Amino acid sequence: MDSILQPIESIDWGELNEYSIVLRILLSLGIGGIIGLERGIKNQPAGFRTYMLVCLGASLVMMTNQYVCQSLGTGDPTRLGAQVISGIGFLGAGSILVTNGNRIRGLTTAAGLWTAACVGLAIGIGFYKGAISVGVTIFLIMTIFQKIDQRLHAHSKFIRLYISFLSGDAANRFMDKCGEMNLKIMDIQMSKTKGSRKGTVILVCTLKSEDKCRHVELIGKLAEIEGLSHIEEI
């Protein structure tokens, strides 16, 4: 038993060797996979495998940088890592979408990809404690903290809506209804759709109530307006 444990105890996990390389690869796959698992379950553009690849690739970059410095005895051990931090932006930008209702989707996925790359860099250079701690924190943010965020938004004074009306008169009735309910219109964007239903009016606006309210109940009251065909929170 001592003959097996002794070599393991003598391993310098901060240096680049066959043992630390295997550990860093496994940590990259594990932490990247855990973070991406939550995104994959929600059918996001970047999911389980994407996060593992990003974390693993960033880890390899740092290991390569460390290898070059150790082999040549010179160089900047952070140079390649700096390029990853700035370069990962193209992948994150590709996951951000703007829907027809002016709703921006994919920001959390993009931020998750960037932090997964940062975790990979930490693993690649041997900063295991930091990588594991941040990896767990990221997973908590994407799961538990999401519920807290949703609860805060569901009862806030502000609500942003995407609404379609069958006519301009219906949009005017919406304005009157907001006045009756003491809802202040903070900003508004109005347009007409091109299609079979001529005259359909699209409205994107932010409303502010005097007190905190349940958004579901507020939307239910506004949905009763005659001529309003669709309403949703964005």
Side-chain angles (χ1 to χ4, degrees):
M1 182 64 70
D2 293 339
S3 61
I4 297 177
L5 294 179
Q6 185 61 38
I8 296 178
E9 292 175 352
S10 62
I11 295 173
D12 186 352
W13 298 102
E15 292 295 323
L16 198 63
N17 51 60
E18 59 269 27
Y19 298 103
S20 64
I21 291 173
V22 172
L23 175 63
R24 295 176 192 186
I25 291 174
L26 293 177
L27 277 177
S28 299
L29 294 176
I31 296 178
I34 289 173
I35 298 172
L37 185 62
E38 187 272 342
R39 296 283 89 188
I41 291 174
K42 294 183 178 178
N43 199 29
Q44 295 297 318
F48 183 67
R49 293 182 300 168
T50 304
Y51 274 81
M52 284 198 297
L53 288 172
V54 168
C55 193
L56 180 62
S59 179
L60 176 61
V61 167
M62 287 304 286
M63 285 191 287
T64 303
N65 208 154
Q66 186 178 4
Y67 174 79
V68 171
C69 291
Q70 287 183 1
S71 299
L72 302 180
T74 184
D76 183 359
T78 63
R79 183 171 183 176
L80 292 180
Q83 304 306 312
V84 171
I85 293 176
S86 58
I88 195 64
F90 85 93
L91 188 60
S95 66
I96 300 175
L97 304 172
V98 181
T99 65
N100 291 332
N102 287 344
R103 184 173 186 176
I104 300 175
R105 299 176 59 87
L107 287 177
T108 302
T109 300
L113 287 171
W114 187 81
T115 51
C118 293
V119 169
L121 294 176
I123 293 173
I125 203 63
F127 185 29
Y128 306 120
K129 292 181 180 179
I132 294 173
S133 300
V134 172
V136 172
T137 304
I138 295 171
F139 182 75
L140 292 176
I141 290 173
M142 289 185 168
T143 53
I144 298 175
F145 282 71
Q146 183 188 31
K147 296 179 181 178
I148 297 175
D149 185 47
Q150 290 175 344
R151 185 174 181 82
L152 290 174
H153 280 84
H155 296 82
S156 68
K157 293 183 179 181
F158 294 88
I159 180 172
R160 188 163 179 81
L161 298 173
Y162 173 84
I163 315 168
S164 61
F165 302 94
L166 299 179
S167 65
D169 291 337
N172 292 331
R173 286 192 288 271
F174 168 79
M175 305 291 186
D176 295 336
K177 184 69 172 179
C178 289
E180 294 174 5
M181 297 175 61
N182 294 322
L183 296 173
K184 183 178 180 181
I185 301 177
M186 304 301 295
D187 65 80
I188 187 169
Q189 301 173 26
M190 186 177 294
S191 62
K192 287 188 177 182
T193 60
K194 297 179 180 179
S196 57
R197 294 192 300 175
K198 295 182 179 179
T200 300
V201 177
I202 302 298
L203 199 67
V204 177
C205 63
T206 300
L207 305 179
K208 179 184 178 182
S209 61
E210 293 183 350
D211 301 310
K212 290 184 178 180
C213 62
R214 292 190 62 188
H215 291 186
V216 176
E217 295 178 356
L218 189 149
I219 291 174
K221 293 178 181 178
L222 293 175
E224 297 173 356
I225 298 173
E226 182 183 353
L228 189 152
S229 60
H230 177 76
I231 180 172
E232 67 173 316
E233 183 176 5
I234 58 176

CSV table of all heavy atoms in Angstrom, one decimal, residues 3 12 52 117 124 142 165 179 201 208:
chain,number,residue,atom,x,y,z
A,3,SER,N,3.8,1.6,-1.2
A,3,SER,CA,4.5,1.8,-2.4
A,3,SER,C,3.6,2.4,-3.5
A,3,SER,O,4.0,3.0,-4.4
A,3,SER,CB,4.9,0.4,-3.0
A,3,SER,OG,3.8,-0.5,-3.2
A,12,ASP,N,3.8,16.6,-7.6
A,12,ASP,CA,3.5,18.1,-7.6
A,12,ASP,C,2.4,18.4,-8.6
A,12,ASP,O,2.7,18.5,-9.8
A,12,ASP,CB,4.8,18.8,-8.0
A,12,ASP,CG,4.7,20.3,-7.8
A,12,ASP,OD1,3.6,20.8,-7.5
A,12,ASP,OD2,5.7,21.0,-7.9
A,52,MET,N,-18.4,21.6,-22.0
A,52,MET,CA,-17.3,20.7,-21.7
A,52,MET,C,-16.1,21.1,-22.7
A,52,MET,O,-15.0,21.2,-22.3
A,52,MET,CB,-17.7,19.3,-21.9
A,52,MET,CG,-18.4,18.7,-20.7
A,52,MET,SD,-18.4,16.9,-20.6
A,52,MET,CE,-19.3,16.5,-22.1
A,117,ALA,N,-15.0,29.2,-19.7
A,117,ALA,CA,-13.6,29.3,-20.2
A,117,ALA,C,-12.7,29.8,-19.1
A,117,ALA,O,-11.5,29.3,-19.1
A,117,ALA,CB,-13.7,30.3,-21.4
A,124,GLY,N,-6.3,24.7,-16.0
A,124,GLY,CA,-5.1,24.5,-16.8
A,124,GLY,C,-3.9,25.0,-16.2
A,124,GLY,O,-2.8,24.4,-16.5
A,142,MET,N,-27.0,29.4,-11.8
A,142,MET,CA,-27.9,29.0,-12.9
A,142,MET,C,-29.1,28.2,-12.4
A,142,MET,O,-30.0,28.0,-13.2
A,142,MET,CB,-27.1,28.2,-13.9
A,142,MET,CG,-26.1,29.0,-14.7
A,142,MET,SD,-25.3,28.0,-16.0
A,142,MET,CE,-24.4,29.3,-16.9
A,165,PHE,N,-52.4,44.3,-31.3
A,165,PHE,CA,-53.7,44.7,-31.3
A,165,PHE,C,-54.3,44.6,-32.7
A,165,PHE,O,-53.5,44.6,-33.7
A,165,PHE,CB,-53.9,46.2,-31.0
A,165,PHE,CG,-53.3,46.5,-29.6
A,165,PHE,CD1,-52.0,47.0,-29.4
A,165,PHE,CD2,-54.1,46.4,-28.5
A,165,PHE,CE1,-51.5,47.3,-28.2
A,165,PHE,CE2,-53.6,46.7,-27.2
A,165,PHE,CZ,-52.3,47.2,-27.1
A,179,GLY,N,-54.2,54.2,-17.8
A,179,GLY,CA,-54.5,55.3,-16.9
A,179,GLY,C,-55.4,55.0,-15.8
A,179,GLY,O,-55.3,55.4,-14.7
A,201,VAL,N,-51.4,46.2,-35.0
A,201,VAL,CA,-50.5,47.1,-34.3
A,201,VAL,C,-49.7,46.3,-33.3
A,201,VAL,O,-50.3,45.6,-32.5
A,201,VAL,CB,-51.2,48.3,-33.7
A,201,VAL,CG1,-50.3,49.2,-32.9
A,201,VAL,CG2,-52.0,49.1,-34.7
A,208,LYS,N,-45.0,51.0,-15.3
A,208,LYS,CA,-44.6,51.1,-13.9
A,208,LYS,C,-45.9,51.3,-13.0
A,208,LYS,O,-46.7,52.2,-13.3
A,208,LYS,CB,-43.6,52.2,-13.6
A,208,LYS,CG,-43.2,52.4,-12.2
A,208,LYS,CD,-42.4,53.6,-12.0
A,208,LYS,CE,-42.0,53.8,-10.5
A,208,LYS,NZ,-41.2,55.0,-10.3
